[in-house]
Every structure is written in C-alpha cells, then in structure tokens.
Amino acid sequence: MNTSKRLAPVLRTGLIAGTLASVASTAALMLCGRREAGSAVAPTNATSHWLWGEQALQVYRPTLRHTALGYATHHASAIFWALLYAWLHTERRPPQSVPAALASAGAATAVACTIDYTITPRRLTPGFEHHLSKGSMAVVYGLFAVGLAAGCLLAQRGRE
C-alpha cells in the first residue's frame, strides 16, 4: 500500500477522534471548572499559559485572547494524540469492538496524561490542573478517552 493511501485513513480518523476527544473533554472542563473554580472557562483559559504566562491562570471570564487560544491549543493537542492513536489502530482487522476501543483509548489517554505531567515542560502542560481537583482531572481525561474511542469507532464505521 502506498504512503498516501495509508495516511488518508489515519488523518481522517485522527481528525474525527481528536475533535470528539476535544469536545468531550472541554465539556468536562467547563462543568468541573464551574463547580470547582466558579468559572466554566477558567480551565480552558489556563491552557493559554504557554503564550501568556501565569497571568492566564487568573482569567475567569471568556476572552478571545485566553479562551479562544486555550481551546485552540487543547484542540490541537487532542488532534496530535488522536493522530498517534489512529496511526497505531487504523489498519486493525477486524475492527475494534466498543470495549476494546474504550480500553485502548483509555491506555492512550493514560500515556498522554503521564507525558503531560512528567516530561512536558511546565510552560507546556495543559494548565487546567491549576483549577481542578485530581478527581475532576480524572473526569476530563476519562471523557477525552471516551471521545477518542467514539471518534475512532465512527471513522472505522465510515470505512466499512
């Protein structure tokens, strides 16, 4: 199989899965942020700290500067992790079952979380950990995994 034929399904799967993972985890960020930080957007705003520094951690209202950049950063990160996941799983035959997809997406998400908080430089960490408890972080990453699995299954169905 030539490279472009191999890359097309990986890119398609990565974009679909990354988008669903981003949307699902952002919904969790908003709900948990509202409950724990008193702001639905503070955790997303904090993600913009890679550019705006510590000041981004103190912004509790929606702004183009922090909220839009924070979401774009989170979304790009989700696409990145989804592309890696898709590269490993797109050619799988037979296609994954729902439980297998959830398990492998959970494992991939655990790797992403571990890298986010161990070897990633502090300035490039997600930032929402400044507003959320560990329990809420687990919910955010759990919904990221669900979105990743759902996106991969959806892309897989589109190829059958």
Side-chain angles (χ1 to χ4, degrees), residues 24-157:
S25 58
T26 297
L29 285 171
M30 292 177 76
L31 292 171
C32 294
R34 182 81 177 136
R35 188 182 71 236
E36 293 184 9
S39 169
V41 296
T44 298
N45 290 347
T47 304
S48 71
H49 77 110
W50 69 268
L51 182 61
W52 306 122
E54 297 294 313
Q55 179 255 346
L57 305 176
Q58 306 308 315
V59 180
Y60 287 78
R61 60 182 172 69
T63 69
L64 190 58
R65 177 179 177 145
H66 297 96
T67 314
L69 179 62
Y71 180 75
T73 301
H74 179 65
H75 191 83
S77 174
I79 297 291
F80 169 79
W81 287 111
L83 285 169
L84 290 177
Y85 178 80
W87 180 66
L88 293 171
H89 294 286
T90 297
E91 296 299 318
R92 187 172 276 196
R93 297 285 183 247
Q96 285 186 306
S97 66
V98 172
L102 286 168
S104 63
T109 300
V111 168
C113 180
T114 300
I115 289 172
D116 281 348
Y117 294 105
T118 57
I119 64 172
T120 301
R122 187 172 187 274
R123 184 80 179 236
L124 300 177
T125 62
F128 39 79
E129 69 277 6
H130 295 279
H131 294 288
L132 303 179
S133 66
K134 288 187 184 195
S136 287
M137 294 287 291
V139 170
V140 169
Y141 277 95
L143 282 176
F144 185 94
V146 169
L148 186 63
C152 286
L153 290 168
L154 182 65
Q156 177 179 292
R157 288 183 67 193

